Amino acid sequence: MLTGEGLPTVYISGDNASLDAVRQIAERFGPVDTAILFAGAPRFPMLFDGALIVLDSAQAAEAAGILGARRAIPVHYDSWAHFTEGRDDLVTAFTAAGLADRLDLGDRLAPHDRLAPNDRPDLGDRLDLGERR
């Protein structure tokens, strides 16, 4: 949870698939301005008895609702072969939960269109996760 006086609140789920943990965060900090939710529903038979490593699409939508998030940004769901759910699953889940207006999938660039680390502009003073521009 990122927060500070006069700043928007930002929740970052990280590698977590526990809605109980989300509920605890919501009780302490909710509602949040932005929820950055690791999604994609990866599972590995050799880890955690095949349980989810991060949120699936339905859990991501539920987490956004639990947090009262004004905006939900799913990340970490489309870059590796072990992800079992993607963009369409997220749209479907958020729509079913009545939260499609909070879903922010952003403008993603193809890997070959991304800037090299030294070519990235300094956006420090323009970064604002609390409001949609």
Side-chain angles (χ1 to χ4, degrees):
M1 190 68 202
L2 302 173
T3 188
E5 188 174 333
L7 298 173
T9 53
V10 179
Y11 169 76
I12 303 171
S13 69
D15 287 345
N16 168 49
S18 170
L19 291 176
D20 287 336
V22 173
R23 284 183 192 91
Q24 291 174 18
I25 295 292
E27 288 172 11
R28 186 167 175 199
F29 295 101
V32 303
D33 295 300
T34 300
I36 299 174
L37 304 169
F38 286 34
R43 296 173 193 266
F44 299 98
M46 71 292 271
L47 295 174
F48 311 114
D49 295 323
L52 288 169
I53 304 298
V54 301
L55 303 168
D56 65 20
S57 298
Q59 288 176 316
E62 187 173 350
I66 291 168
L67 292 163
R70 287 188 11 219
R71 179 168 60 166
I73 303 172
V75 297
H76 198 57
Y77 63 86
D78 65 352
S79 51
W80 291 323
H82 64 269
F83 292 124
T84 62
E85 295 181 4
R87 182 184 187 97
D88 292 342
D89 300 295
L90 287 160
V91 170
T92 298
F94 274 77
T95 300
L99 301 173
D101 62 325
R102 300 180 194 187
L103 180 61
D104 184 347
L105 294 168
D107 295 322
R108 293 174 142 326
L109 297 174
H112 60 276
D113 291 332
R114 294 188 179 126
L115 295 174
N118 293 335
D119 294 334
R120 292 182 182 147
D122 181 8
L123 302 176
D125 64 339
R126 296 188 333 197
L127 181 61
D128 180 357
L129 298 176
E131 295 182 23
R132 186 180 301 258
R133 292 188 187 247

